[in-house]
Amino acid sequence: KMLARTCGSGISQRPAKKAPMKRSVFPLCSAWLLLLLVLCSLQLRPTDAQFGVAKAKGKIKELLLQHQADLAAKQAGSADVNANGDAQTNPNPTQDILSPKDAADMEEILIQASQDEETMKMVVQMKIEMRDEIEALGSEPSEDILRGMLHQLVEMRFVEVLFKDPERAVEESIKEGLIDDKKKIKAYRKDPALLETDMRKGLYFSFISLAVAGGYI
């Protein structure tokens, strides 16, 4: 089982069983940068820099879906051709990444994040510390960013369902190999809410980091 490690929490992210991703979320060329973004989001200290006003409701959703449409159009214009000269069908078409509900849910998270002072201080410092790298990655709509954000969103939804029964959530997480630190296991069994907090925090910061790289916040 391929499990994505959550930085600094001692737990791993469990892919949703019906997650829409059928291939690797990040190509090797950009994986290092996204990892750095996540690390920065978890470790950077707040700054006193000023941050901008949140985008109006509906604008982020519109931007996400427009980027998806732009990528789909670009993909359609550069279809691969097989040995017989026939156009190849992409098994993961870009237009199928986000549904309108996905985009609306992402927008809600980002609007709330933009109203949180500590999150926005972190975002500002990330943009300052990694300006060149973020600009290079976010210069055009990125399919990898959209897929990555969706993956985090799916995981957030999974956590909502999982922790309807906190004790069972802890045992299932241990059973699935999501927690491998004995001290963490003991702490989570004693206080299941701690596991939920750590999971939510890791997913949230990963999502925000990707949104920063994509220019959505």
Side-chain angles (χ1 to χ4, degrees), residues 37 67 97 180 192:
L37 287 170
H67 280 180
I97 299 176
D180 54 16

Side-chain angles (χ1 to χ4, degrees), residues 41-144:
S41 71
L42 292 170
Q43 296 176 6
L44 287 178
R45 292 175 296 179
T47 176
D48 292 329
Q50 298 297 311
F51 45 85
V53 179
K55 292 182 175 68
K57 188 171 180 63
K59 292 297 183 181
I60 299 174
K61 175 183 175 181
E62 181 181 326
L63 182 61
L64 286 163
L65 294 176
Q66 183 58 55
H67 280 180
Q68 177 170 247
D70 291 346
L71 287 164
K74 183 177 180 181
Q75 185 181 80
S78 59
D80 293 331
V81 176
N82 62 21
N84 298 321
D86 300 321
Q88 297 274 42
T89 301
N90 191 317
N92 299 286
T94 301
Q95 64 265 29
D96 293 338
I97 299 176
L98 304 180
S99 69
K101 181 180 181 345
D102 292 331
D105 288 349
M106 289 180 180
E107 177 182 68
E108 187 63 30
I109 294 171
L110 293 174
I111 288 177
Q112 291 181 12
S114 69
Q115 296 170 351
D116 180 75
E117 184 176 354
E118 291 305 309
T119 297
M120 290 310 298
K121 285 180 178 180
M122 177 196 77
V123 167
V124 169
Q125 189 157 347
M126 286 177 67
K127 290 182 177 181
I128 292 172
E129 296 290 333
M130 303 188 70
R131 181 180 59 188
D132 293 340
E133 292 89 345
I134 291 173
E135 287 180 355
L137 188 62
S139 58
E140 294 182 359
S142 168
E143 180 175 346
D144 297 313

Side-chain angles (χ1 to χ4, degrees), residues 175-193:
K175 180 180 175 182
E176 290 291 322
L178 305 183
I179 313 168
D180 54 16
D181 186 302
K182 291 183 179 179
K183 290 183 178 180
K184 288 286 186 181
I185 290 175
K186 184 177 180 180
Y188 292 147
R189 278 178 167 158
K190 182 177 180 181
D191 183 6

Side-chain angles (χ1 to χ4, degrees), residues 4-7 9-13 178-180 188 195 198-199:
R5 178 69 55 190
T6 300
C7 297
S9 65
I11 58 177
S12 304
Q13 294 180 22
L178 305 183
I179 313 168
D180 54 16
Y188 292 147
L195 175 59
D198 284 350
M199 280 188 168

Side-chain angles (χ1 to χ4, degrees), residues 138-197:
S139 58
E140 294 182 359
S142 168
E143 180 175 346
D144 297 313
I145 293 293
L146 291 180
R147 289 187 184 278
M149 290 174 67
L150 178 60
H151 182 63
Q152 301 307 314
L153 180 65
V154 169
E155 290 289 300
M156 290 178 192
R157 291 169 177 165
F158 173 74
V159 169
E160 288 287 342
V161 176
L162 183 65
F163 280 90
K164 287 182 178 180
D165 185 340
E167 288 77 16
R168 183 179 178 183
V170 172
E171 295 308 317
E172 287 295 323
S173 297
I174 295 170
K175 180 180 175 182
E176 290 291 322
L178 305 183
I179 313 168
D180 54 16
D181 186 302
K182 291 183 179 179
K183 290 183 178 180
K184 288 286 186 181
I185 290 175
K186 184 177 180 180
Y188 292 147
R189 278 178 167 158
K190 182 177 180 181
D191 183 6
L194 182 59
L195 175 59
E196 182 177 7
T197 297

